[in-house]
Amino acid sequence: QVQLVESGGGLVQAGGSLRLSCAASGRTFSSYAMGWFRQAPGKEREFVAAISWSGGITYYADSVKGRFTISRDNAKITVYLQMNSLKPEDTAVYYCVARRQVPTIRENEYDYWGQGTQVTVSS
């Protein structure tokens, strides 16, 4: 079992930055691919970014490419999402996810989910 706890959300003005963190506990963190999804009010949940266990493979949604960076520190058992040049359309609840195998953009292939952290970007 893997437990995921997100932090770092909040309110920021458009053009600002936030860094989300996801602390993991449980089984061997380094063998898990990690990712982030988000869900805005009234919209379906969507993929944001994912990273392999080694950090050598990363995927990004087109909407965040060039603005967001996913990274991980296996020694600290934490994955990060650095979000720059934030836009009002980035407003959503952001969820940290984990799966045993290679990273994927499909949400139904992730086994573990955090509770989510709210990110609000004001215009």
Side-chain angles (χ1 to χ4, degrees):
Q1 190 74 12
V2 173
Q3 292 81 41
L4 305 172
V5 178
E6 304 96 334
S7 62
L11 174 64
V12 64
Q13 288 188 333
S17 299
L18 280 176
R19 188 176 79 159
L20 304 183
S21 299
C22 174
S25 61
R27 294 187 175 179
T28 306
F29 175 73
S30 61
S31 65
Y32 282 75
M34 307 290 293
W36 292 90
F37 284 76
R38 68 185 182 185
Q39 187 167 22
K43 295 187 177 181
E44 294 187 351
R45 193 154 53 192
E46 63 176 2
F47 169 77
V48 176
I51 188 168
S52 63
W53 69 270
S54 68
I57 299 172
T58 55
Y59 298 132
Y60 294 95
D62 288 343
S63 58
V64 306
K65 204 170 292 183
R67 300 188 298 122
F68 290 11
T69 302
I70 189 170
S71 62
R72 65 190 294 161
D73 185 335
N74 288 342
K76 295 183 178 180
I77 322 179
T78 302
V79 64
Y80 305 97
L81 186 67
Q82 178 67 44
M83 305 185 295
N84 299 328
S85 302
L86 282 160
K87 305 175 181 180
E89 51 263 44
D90 294 318
T91 295
V93 176
Y94 284 71
Y95 298 92
C96 178
V97 297
R99 72 188 300 260
R100 187 65 185 270
Q101 300 173 341
V102 297
T104 173
I105 67 171
R106 291 176 285 276
E107 67 172 275
N108 63 352
E109 295 184 357
Y110 284 91
D111 301 310
Y112 303 101
W113 290 73
Q115 293 299 307
T117 185
Q118 176 70 47
V119 171
T120 303
V121 184
S122 63
S123 56

